[in-house]
Amino acid sequence: QVQLVESGGGLVQAGGSLRLSCAASGRTFSRYAMGWFRQAPGKEREFVAAIAGSGLSTSYADSVKGRFTISRSNARSTMYLQMNSLKPEDTAVYYCAAADVATIPLTSLFDSWGQGTQVTVSS
């Protein structure tokens, strides 16, 4: 399995930006499709964005389209989530996840998880 560590969370005002990073170790990073998920207090974890192992294909939840951008550097074994125009409803713990497939899979196939990083957006 791959080990994942998120960073970059914090407190930001509405309309601001944050960039999350997810550093991977353990196996060849490019073999994994990667994803970001989030969980707000009292809510179930939800899908945010995903990217194929090659980086050539991406997918986004409707709630973040046009505001968030997922990317990866296979040379650095790192995935990113650039979050712009943040809203209070984006407040959550953000998790990165990996699936041992090259293309973007069903969310149920993500089976390696980081510990999460808190993002808080104030109004």
Side-chain angles (χ1 to χ4, degrees):
Q1 275 194 332
V2 63
Q3 288 76 49
L4 305 171
V5 178
E6 304 95 335
S7 61
L11 174 64
V12 63
Q13 288 187 331
S17 299
L18 280 175
R19 188 194 197 201
L20 304 184
S21 298
C22 174
S25 62
R27 302 193 71 174
T28 304
F29 184 61
S30 59
R31 69 182 279 167
Y32 293 92
M34 299 294 295
W36 287 100
F37 294 75
R38 66 187 182 186
Q39 187 167 20
K43 295 187 177 181
E44 293 188 355
R45 187 163 57 191
E46 64 176 1
F47 169 76
V48 175
I51 188 166
S54 66
L56 297 179
S57 178
T58 58
S59 177
Y60 294 91
D62 288 343
S63 59
V64 306
K65 279 181 182 176
R67 300 189 298 122
F68 291 11
T69 302
I70 189 171
S71 62
R72 65 190 294 161
S73 168
N74 287 342
R76 297 182 177 182
S77 297
T78 303
M79 175 181 64
Y80 306 97
L81 185 67
Q82 178 66 44
M83 305 186 293
N84 298 329
S85 302
L86 282 161
K87 305 174 181 180
E89 51 263 44
D90 294 318
T91 295
V93 177
Y94 283 70
Y95 298 90
C96 69
D100 195 3
V101 291
T103 56
I104 297 173
L106 297 173
T107 56
S108 60
L109 293 182
F110 286 94
D111 59 2
S112 294
W113 296 86
Q115 83 289 350
T117 186
Q118 177 71 46
V119 172
T120 303
V121 184
S122 63
S123 57

